[in-house]
């Protein structure tokens, strides 16, 4: 077996998302085509990691809880990256769109209602708007055209 890097100090990345996506580009996509079959197979990885996180939580094992949660996040974030790759984006474009999608979801989640007491579910207010993820699939030209139209319409 050949390793991509000999030492962790050799790894270069801009953000944690870039680091995660490098794994997908340099290791997963070498032997797998970025298609629906691969996206579906990766769901098994996600279920496996969620199971390990659940076991760690039930065992109150703090190290394994952190490791499990990080693995779930890793698989989920790289799944977003693979959706963009499947839809024709190159590595750099898919990394940027992954960050954009995560930012949009994070912002819209912060627009939800604050729970009133312990155990209450975080709910969506009546005026809550879902994340605008369709913009992630627009070309730069389409995005510019949309933003110009929005500015024109106020």
């Amino acid at each position: 077996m050949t390793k991509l890097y000999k030492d962790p100090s050799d790894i270069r990345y801009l953000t944690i998302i870039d680091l995660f996506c490098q794994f997908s580009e340099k290791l997963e996509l070498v032997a797998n085509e970025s298609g629906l079959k691969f996206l579906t197979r990766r769901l098994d990885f996600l279920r496996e990691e969620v199971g390990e996180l659940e076991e760690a939580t039930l065992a109150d094992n703090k190290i394994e809880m952190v490791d499990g949660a990080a693995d779930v996040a890793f698989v989920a974030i790289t799944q977003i990256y693979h959706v963009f790759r499947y839809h024709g984006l190159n590595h750099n474009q898919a990394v940027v769109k992954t960050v954009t999608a995560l930012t949009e979801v994070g912002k819209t989640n912060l627009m939800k209602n604050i729970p009133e007491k312990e155990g209450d579910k975080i709910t969506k207010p009546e005026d809550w708007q879902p994340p605008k993820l369709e913009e992630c699939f627009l070309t730069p030209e389409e995005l510019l055209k949309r933003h110009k139209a929005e500015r024109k319409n106020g």
Side-chain angles (χ1 to χ4, degrees), residues 44-60:
D44 290 335
F45 305 158
L46 188 56
R47 281 187 279 276
E48 178 183 330
E49 297 302 346
V50 168
E52 290 177 11
L53 173 58
E54 184 177 22
E55 286 176 21
T57 303
L58 293 172
D60 195 17

Side-chain angles (χ1 to χ4, degrees), residues 32-127:
N32 298 282
E33 185 176 331
S34 191
L36 194 56
K37 183 178 177 182
F38 181 58
L39 286 169
T40 303
R41 196 172 89 234
R42 292 185 91 255
L43 294 175
D44 290 335
F45 305 158
L46 188 56
R47 281 187 279 276
E48 178 183 330
E49 297 302 346
V50 168
E52 290 177 11
L53 173 58
E54 184 177 22
E55 286 176 21
T57 303
L58 293 172
D60 195 17
N61 183 326
K62 62 186 176 190
I63 301 299
E64 291 302 319
M65 281 191 262
V66 171
D67 181 59
D71 284 342
V72 168
F74 185 90
V75 176
I77 288 168
T78 56
Q79 185 78 356
I80 297 166
Y81 168 84
H82 282 293
V83 170
F84 291 121
R85 291 300 302 263
Y86 170 55
H87 285 278
L89 277 64
N90 67 32
H91 170 73
N92 290 332
Q93 293 167 328
V95 171
V96 169
K97 296 295 185 173
T98 299
V99 170
T100 301
L102 288 167
T103 302
E104 181 65 19
V105 169
K107 284 180 174 181
T108 56
N109 280 338
L110 284 171
M111 300 305 296
K112 293 180 178 179
N113 294 319
I114 299 169
E116 293 182 20
K117 62 184 185 314
E118 184 178 340
D120 279 359
K121 183 177 178 178
I122 296 171
T123 60
K124 299 172 187 170
E126 288 185 29
D127 64 344

